């Protein structure tokens, strides 16, 4: 029977081969030889020829080195590939192109604004000089002589122009703090006012002086002095609108970070939404602790673990008709209902006890942090003690053998590196501090003779955002999202959002209420009292 089954199985495969008669004969001869060696007592063979057909995919009887592939090999095959560190995806190309376009647009806008300001400044400062020079160039023989009063006006124009030049440089020609999405309304209004003012003076000068070739040069000088005086008054108006108007606080804004709920409150004056957003971002980099996305991963993993432990059962669902017929099936259905309800109750009890798991996880994390902190403090104190010993020894050496603070920091850093690394990993700050930055901070502390506590302050508590390197906090671009126009002023209940790649800042505005104070006079004599002592006391 063994020989017959073996022959039958092989004949079944060979009959279903691709129709090669020669290959079938070789296989049968090879199997006959194997069967004779396996069982020499049996001489009977049975051959079953099946109709020609395709071989079964994945059949375990396939031999002879013939490789069989699955029809769905493109979907079921796992390929191990390698990616170059310089490879770029389509998304990366689109992002790089967008960043280049944005950077080019910002640079062009910045240079255009600067060029326009320079051209307008030259127009303003050269106009009074042109008023004084053009009569000497066009009709010098008709001009009257300039007396003492006229020459004194020259000195007045010169000093006023110098004062105006310094004032304009101090107010307008400052390095830009940021690129705003819209134009600054008051600054554009002042530019239009200056342009209209200068063009009006030129129009009057061309009609009344150039056309008539006025010979009263003292009057022309007084005309130029009046222009400089008017420009000085416009500059005073610019100081009031651009600087003084926003000093008085009118609104209280609440700034909340969307990821961790960190919140700060600030008082702002009469500002537009875009300038209020700029002021908030300046406060954000100095006041808010650095954004650490690693601290949010623990809560997300805990929530995912909790959801994975819950199962939902359809208790009130209908059973198939085959299961609903008969008393036995009804009993089985009722048992299934009771089991489902019991499992739902168990899941609910597990959900109710999830706060205990959270409590013990937080307690264990705090214990681990305190343990790592204690080890770190001890390691840093020992390292600084070693530094003091080295300083005492170096005082006895020649100046050539004295180490600089950089070398001293590199010498003692390995003794504290392991404890510091474990602490930063436990508190999830390892991405905020590189080895180079830690050594630089250590060298800075050694140079300024700081204590171990001063060195550890940067790592034991999260500092402001500007404390860390620019690669960790510098956002390429902030997006201002507001329902109202960004050039409109702040109002009570105004809400807008500042969005970057990782998080967003939600800003809520409240107007500072009007405070009514009253005075109450208290007579100083009302504070006086008399202490009367009885001469007879009870013994």
């Amino acid at each position: 029977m063994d020989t017959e089954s073996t022959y039958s199985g092989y004949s079944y495969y060979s009959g279903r081969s691709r129709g090669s008669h020669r290959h079938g004969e070789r296989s049968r001869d090879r199997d006959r030889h194997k069967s004779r060696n396996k069982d020499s007592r049996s001489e009977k063979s049975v051959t079953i020829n099946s109709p020609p057909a395709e071989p079964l995919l994945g059949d375990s009887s396939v031999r002879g080195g013939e490789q069989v592939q699955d029809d769905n090999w493109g979907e079921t095959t796992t390929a191990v590939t390698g990616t170059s560190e310089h490879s770029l995806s389509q998304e990366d190309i689109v992002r790089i192109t967008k960043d280049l376009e944005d950077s080019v647009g910002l640079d062009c806008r910045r240079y255009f604004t600067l060029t326009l300001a320079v051209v307008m400044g030259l127009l303003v400062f050269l106009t009074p000089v042109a008023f004084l020079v053009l009569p000497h160039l066009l009709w010098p023989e008709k001009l009257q002589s300039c007396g003492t009063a006229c020459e004194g006006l020259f000195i007045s124009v010169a000093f006023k122009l110098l004062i105006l030049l310094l004032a304009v440089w101090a107010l307008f020609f400052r390095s830009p703090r940021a690129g705003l999405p819209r134009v600054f309304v008051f600054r554009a209004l002042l530019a239009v006012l200056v342009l209209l003012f200068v063009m009006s003076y030129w129009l009057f000068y061309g009609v009344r002086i150039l056309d008539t070739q006025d010979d009263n040069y003292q009057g022309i000088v007084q005309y130029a002095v009046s222009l400089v005086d008017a420009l000085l008054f416009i500059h005073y108006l610019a100081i009031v609108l651009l600087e003084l108007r926003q000093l008085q606080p009118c609104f209280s804004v609440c700034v909340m970070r969307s990821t961790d709920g960190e919140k700060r409150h600030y008082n702002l004056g009469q500002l537009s939404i875009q300038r209020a957003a700029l002021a908030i971002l300046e406060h954000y980099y100095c006041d808010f602790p650095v954004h650490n996305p690693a601290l949010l991963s623990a809560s997300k993993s805990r929530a995912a673990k909790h959801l994975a432990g819950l199962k939902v059962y359809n208790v009130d669902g209908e059973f198939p008709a085959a299961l609903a017929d008969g008393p036995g099936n009804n009993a089985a259905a009722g048992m299934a209902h009771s089991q489902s309800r019991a499992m739902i109750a168990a899941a609910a009890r597990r959900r109710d006890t999830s706060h205990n798991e959270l409590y013990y996880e937080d307690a264990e994390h705090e214990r681990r942090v305190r343990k790592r902190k204690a080890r770190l403090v001890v390691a840093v104190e020992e390292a600084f003690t070693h530094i003091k010993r080295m300083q005492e020894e170096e005082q006895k050496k020649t100046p050539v053998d004295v180490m600089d603070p950089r070398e001293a920091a590199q010498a003692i850093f390995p003794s504290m590196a392991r404890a510091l690394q474990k602490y930063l990993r436990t508190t999830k700050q390892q991405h905020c501090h590189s080895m180079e930055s830690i050594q630089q901070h250590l060298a800075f502390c050694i140079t300024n003779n700081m204590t171990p506590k001063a060195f550890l302050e940067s790592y034991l508590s999260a500092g402001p955002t500007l404390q860390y390197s620019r690669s960790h906090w510098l956002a390429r671009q902030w997006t201002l999202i507001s329902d109202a126009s960004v050039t409109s002023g702040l109002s009570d209940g105004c809400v807008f959002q500042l969005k970057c790649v990782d998080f967003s800042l939600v800003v809520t505005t409240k107007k500072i209420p009007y405070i009514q104070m009253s005075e109450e006079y208290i007579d100083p004599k009302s504070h006086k009292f008399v202490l009367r002592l009885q001469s007879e006391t009870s013994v």
Side-chain angles (χ1 to χ4, degrees):
M1 292 298 295
D2 296 336
T3 306
E4 293 175 1
S5 61
T6 305
Y7 282 83
S8 300
Y10 182 76
S11 301
Y12 179 73
Y13 164 71
S14 60
R16 296 187 61 184
S17 61
R18 299 178 185 270
S20 177
H21 179 70
R22 183 177 301 173
H23 177 71
E25 290 180 352
R26 291 177 182 175
S27 300
R28 284 193 296 271
D29 294 338
R30 189 163 53 248
D31 279 356
R32 288 194 187 98
H33 179 69
K34 291 181 181 179
S35 63
R36 289 193 186 98
N37 294 333
K38 184 176 181 181
D39 192 3
S40 60
R41 295 174 297 178
S42 179
E43 297 294 338
K44 184 179 180 180
S45 64
V46 178
T47 304
I48 302 176
N49 293 324
S50 61
E54 293 294 330
L56 293 175
L57 295 176
D59 193 353
S60 60
S61 61
V62 177
R63 296 182 180 91
E66 185 174 351
Q67 185 179 1
V68 180
Q69 291 184 350
D70 189 3
D71 290 339
N72 299 324
W73 64 271
E75 300 178 359
T76 59
T77 304
T78 302
V80 179
T81 60
T83 304
S84 172
E85 61 180 0
H86 300 291
S87 61
L88 292 175
S89 62
Q90 186 67 24
E91 292 78 5
D92 295 335
I93 296 175
V94 173
R95 177 177 54 81
I96 293 173
T97 305
K98 186 177 183 301
D99 292 341
L100 290 175
E101 291 177 356
D102 293 340
S103 61
V104 171
L106 291 174
D107 292 339
C108 292
R109 181 179 178 182
R110 184 184 306 172
Y111 289 126
F112 174 75
T113 304
L114 181 61
T115 304
L116 184 61
V118 170
V119 170
M120 185 170 292
L122 292 176
L123 177 64
V124 168
F125 285 102
L126 294 179
T127 295
V129 179
F131 286 172
L132 300 177
V133 173
L134 286 178
H136 285 283
L137 296 178
L138 298 179
W139 59 95
E141 66 280 355
K142 296 182 180 180
L143 291 177
Q144 298 178 1
S145 61
C146 184
T148 304
C150 180
E151 294 176 354
L153 291 177
F154 282 131
I155 300 176
S156 176
V157 169
F159 276 97
K160 287 180 180 179
L161 284 178
L162 178 61
I163 294 173
L164 183 62
L165 176 63
L166 295 177
V168 170
W169 170 80
L171 183 61
F172 294 102
F173 288 91
R174 293 180 289 185
S175 59
R177 297 179 296 173
L180 299 179
R182 299 291 181 89
V183 67
F184 188 14
V185 177
F186 286 133
R187 181 169 292 187
L189 179 63
L190 289 171
V192 172
L193 178 62
V194 169
L195 184 61
L196 291 177
F197 189 76
V198 173
M199 296 306 294
S200 300
Y201 262 77
W202 269 110
L203 182 61
F204 185 85
Y205 185 82
V207 173
R208 300 298 300 271
I209 297 177
L210 292 180
D211 290 346
T212 60
Q213 295 184 355
D214 191 2
D215 56 353
N216 186 8
Y217 190 69
Q218 183 176 358
I220 296 175
V221 173
Q222 290 179 349
Y223 184 73
V225 170
S226 66
L227 172 61
V228 177
D229 292 338
L231 292 175
L232 286 174
F233 280 108
I234 292 178
H235 185 270
Y236 174 74
L237 178 62
I239 294 175
V240 173
L241 293 179
L242 301 181
E243 301 295 333
L244 300 181
R245 182 174 177 267
Q246 63 189 17
L247 294 181
Q248 183 180 2
C250 299
F251 298 95
S252 175
V253 295
C254 174
V255 185
M256 179 180 294
R257 192 156 54 190
S258 60
T259 52
D260 55 359
E262 193 72 27
K263 184 189 298 184
R264 294 291 186 275
H265 294 269
Y266 304 105
N267 290 336
L268 298 179
Q270 294 285 350
L271 293 173
S272 62
I273 293 178
Q274 62 177 358
R275 289 183 61 81
L278 177 58
I280 288 171
L281 288 179
E282 292 175 351
H283 287 295
Y284 168 77
Y285 285 121
C286 298
D287 296 343
F288 275 74
V290 65
H291 179 256
N292 192 353
L295 295 176
L296 305 176
S297 61
S299 60
K300 292 181 179 179
S301 62
R302 189 185 300 112
K305 180 180 178 181
H306 175 67
L307 292 177
L310 297 179
K311 295 182 180 180
V312 180
Y313 299 91
N314 187 9
V315 179
D316 299 329
E318 296 181 357
F319 285 86
L323 297 177
D325 296 337
N329 292 333
N330 292 333
M335 186 177 297
H337 276 290
S338 61
Q339 290 179 356
S340 299
R341 292 183 183 276
M343 297 182 72
I344 290 177
R349 287 193 299 270
R350 182 180 178 183
R351 181 188 57 196
D352 294 337
T353 59
S354 60
H355 63 279
N356 292 331
E357 299 177 2
L358 176 61
Y359 171 77
Y360 287 115
E361 287 179 5
D362 291 343
E364 178 65 21
H365 178 70
E366 292 177 0
R367 186 193 65 82
R368 195 183 306 113
V369 169
R370 290 196 301 268
K371 182 179 178 181
R372 303 296 186 193
K373 180 181 177 181
R375 291 181 178 178
L376 176 61
V377 170
V378 172
V380 172
E381 288 179 353
E382 291 178 354
F384 273 75
T385 304
H386 182 63
I387 280 290
K388 291 182 180 179
R389 289 199 302 264
M390 291 174 59
Q391 290 177 352
E392 293 176 358
E393 294 175 358
E394 288 173 355
Q395 291 178 358
K396 303 176 183 178
K397 297 180 181 180
T398 59
V400 181
D401 299 333
V402 177
M403 289 192 304
D404 60 349
R406 179 72 176 178
E407 295 177 352
Q410 293 177 354
I412 67 170
F413 178 72
S415 62
M416 68 174 73
R418 184 174 179 83
L420 182 59
Q421 184 183 21
K422 287 186 177 181
Y423 178 79
L424 293 178
R425 286 181 178 178
T426 305
T427 56
K428 301 187 183 301
Q429 301 182 60
Q430 68 274 13
H431 66 284
C432 298
H433 304 278
S434 62
M435 185 178 66
E436 183 67 22
S437 65
I438 295 173
Q439 290 183 358
Q440 290 179 358
H441 180 59
L442 182 58
F444 174 78
C445 294
I446 294 173
T447 304
N448 296 277
N449 196 19
M450 294 185 179
T451 61
K453 185 177 180 180
F455 169 74
L456 289 173
E457 186 63 27
S458 299
Y459 310 105
L460 297 182
S461 59
T465 307
L466 284 177
Q467 178 181 341
Y468 302 89
S469 60
R470 296 171 65 89
S471 60
H472 294 296
W473 56 262
L474 183 63
R476 172 63 181 167
Q477 185 176 5
W478 289 86
T479 303
L480 177 58
I481 302 175
S482 175
D483 294 336
S485 176
V486 296
T487 57
S488 60
L490 293 176
S491 59
D492 188 17
C494 177
V495 178
F496 57 93
Q497 189 175 2
L498 290 166
K499 189 175 181 180
C500 67
V501 178
D502 299 328
F503 59 91
S504 61
L505 300 177
V506 182
V507 183
T508 306
T509 307
K510 295 292 183 181
K511 188 175 182 179
I512 298 177
Y514 177 77
I515 300 174
Q516 179 68 36
M517 299 180 64
S518 60
E519 180 186 4
E520 181 179 356
Y521 176 74
I522 299 177
D523 190 2
K525 297 181 180 180
S526 62
H527 297 286
K528 296 181 180 181
F529 59 93
V530 178
L531 179 61
R532 296 180 179 180
L533 300 177
Q534 297 180 359
S535 59
E536 297 180 358
T537 58
S538 60
V539 179

